[in-house]
């Protein structure tokens, strides 16, 4: 988010009143069912170094750990945070060589074209819809958490239908397809899919595949691969998680904790989300209703879907 946008967000947020947690309404035309889940609960606090949290993604190799990054203008680094206890601990910092944090807005952990777990960092923010290209940097998820400089593979993208702002990067664990969800004000956004597989060294085209909510600030796929979530957040969108099946049919809307600038979401496990905000250090765990957890029976860990191609 740009500095001007952040200032506007702060001004609006300071005048907003906290509201009770509720499940957002669904349109009569929607086939989804609004279901009140169990109450969210504090999970961990962020350690120093994430003052502008802009994306988070759960590890597939290290239980209780998620990867996160800061917003535009900050270091070109991904931080590994242990959120298994009430106080989050910085486990490792990964510096992405040859990259610049132009506007890092999304991060996802998912399989590469060979099925190996990888961290994908989305330099996809475009507040003024002026960028001719956006990019995604990918590096192998490390076996051990220790500070390191990594050399990512970079993929360049344009949209088939013009320029868009975006803050949500997803990787389908089943198809291995990269997806980007646009961020719009007062109108539904879109989910765009990358070609399979995207090619480094050339510009790849993102094409629209499904509708998303307005003011989408982050997204993630379920460990089951049978659903994905897109979240909205203040000040210009409701603090709500929208859960869809892979074809884009909405399954549920789930209220999130009231956050003035909710920017991040990932799956804690197959039945709950982790959510965070750019301007506070509390990470929340949000249980999902049963209708938002298809295919979760028997799913223990995200890495079950990360297998090499045979």
């Amino acid at each position: 988010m740009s500095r001007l946008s952040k200032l506007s967000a702060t001004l609006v947020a300071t005048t907003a009143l906290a509201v009770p947690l509720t499940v957002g309404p669904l349109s009569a035309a929607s086939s989804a069912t609004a279901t009140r889940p169990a109450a969210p609960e504090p999970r961990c606090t962020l350690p120093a170094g994430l003052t502008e949290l802009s994306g988070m993604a759960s590890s597939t190799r290290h239980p209780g750990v998620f990867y996160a990054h800061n917003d535009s203008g900050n270091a070109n680094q991904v931080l590994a945070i242990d959120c298994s206890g009430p106080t989050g601990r910085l486990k490792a910092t990964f510096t992405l060589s040859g990259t610049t944090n132009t506007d890092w807005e999304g991060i996802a952990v998912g399989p590469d074209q060979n099925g190996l777990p990888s961290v994908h960092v989305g330099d996809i923010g475009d507040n003024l819809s002026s960028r001719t290209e956006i990019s995604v940097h990918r590096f192998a998820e490390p076996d051990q958490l220790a500070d390191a400089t990594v050399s990512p593979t970079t993929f360049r993208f344009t949209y088939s239908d013009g320029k868009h702002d975006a803050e949500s990067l997803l990787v389908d664990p089943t198809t291995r397809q990269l997806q980007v969800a646009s961020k719009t004000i007062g109108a539904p956004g879109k989910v765009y899919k990358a070609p399979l597989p995207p090619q480094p060294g050339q510009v790849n085209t993102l094409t629209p595949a499904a509708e998303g909510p307005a003011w989408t600030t982050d997204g993630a796929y379920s460990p089951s691969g049978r659903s994905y979530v897109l979240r909205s957040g203040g000040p210009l969108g409701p603090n709500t998680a929208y859960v869809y099946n892979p074809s884009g049919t909405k399954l549920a809307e789930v209220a999130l904790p009231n956050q003035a600038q909710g920017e991040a979401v990932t799956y804690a496990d197959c039945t709950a989300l982790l959510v965070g905000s750019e301007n506070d250090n509390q990470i929340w765990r949000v249980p999902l209703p049963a209708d938002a957890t298809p295919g979760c029976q028997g799913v223990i860990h995200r890495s079950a879907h990360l297998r090499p191609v045979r």
Side-chain angles (χ1 to χ4, degrees), residues 37-58:
E41 58 186 9
R43 186 65 192 95
C44 74
T45 55
L46 291 173
L50 280 168
T51 56
E52 292 187 280
L53 174 69
S54 194
M56 55 195 292
S58 290

Side-chain angles (χ1 to χ4, degrees), residues 71-273:
D71 207 338
S72 59
N74 286 279
N76 56 332
Q77 294 178 329
V78 170
L79 284 64
I81 308 300
D82 184 342
C83 195
S84 58
T87 301
R89 295 180 296 149
L90 176 62
K91 301 291 290 184
T93 298
F94 301 99
T95 301
L96 279 61
S97 65
T99 70
T100 300
N101 185 344
T102 302
D103 198 355
W104 288 12
E105 290 287 2
I107 186 169
V109 177
D112 64 10
Q113 73 275 12
N114 296 315
L116 301 177
S118 302
V119 181
H120 303 72
V121 182
D123 196 340
I124 58 177
D126 190 8
N127 291 291
L128 300 179
S129 296
S130 61
R131 298 179 67 176
T132 57
E133 295 180 10
I134 58 174
S135 59
V136 174
H137 309 296
R138 185 186 73 197
F139 63 95
E141 185 177 6
D143 291 325
Q144 297 183 347
L145 296 177
D147 292 354
T149 297
V150 297
S151 298
T153 299
T154 295
F155 302 95
R156 298 154 57 202
F157 296 98
T158 59
Y159 296 94
S160 64
D161 57 356
K163 301 171 184 177
H164 302 283
D165 189 20
E167 295 191 0
S168 307
L169 178 68
L170 304 89
V171 179
D172 186 324
T174 302
T175 66
R176 306 171 187 175
Q177 190 165 43
L178 282 171
Q179 301 176 9
V180 175
S182 63
K183 180 184 179 184
T184 56
I185 299 176
K190 293 181 181 179
V191 177
Y192 293 81
K193 291 188 177 181
L196 269 174
Q199 298 297 318
Q202 67 182 53
V203 179
N204 301 269
T205 301
L206 295 164
T207 55
E211 190 174 278
W215 201 254
T216 303
T217 59
D218 203 6
Y221 258 88
S222 166
S224 72
R226 297 275 299 278
S227 61
Y228 63 89
V229 64
L230 298 174
R231 74 155 295 171
S232 184
L236 298 180
N239 281 294
T240 301
Y242 305 83
V243 183
Y244 303 84
N245 68 17
S247 67
T249 300
K250 191 190 296 181
L251 302 177
E253 296 183 10
V254 180
L256 302 179
N258 192 42
Q259 297 174 310
Q261 199 169 333
E263 289 266 337
V265 67
T266 189
Y267 276 82
D269 52 48
C270 203
T271 62
L273 305 174

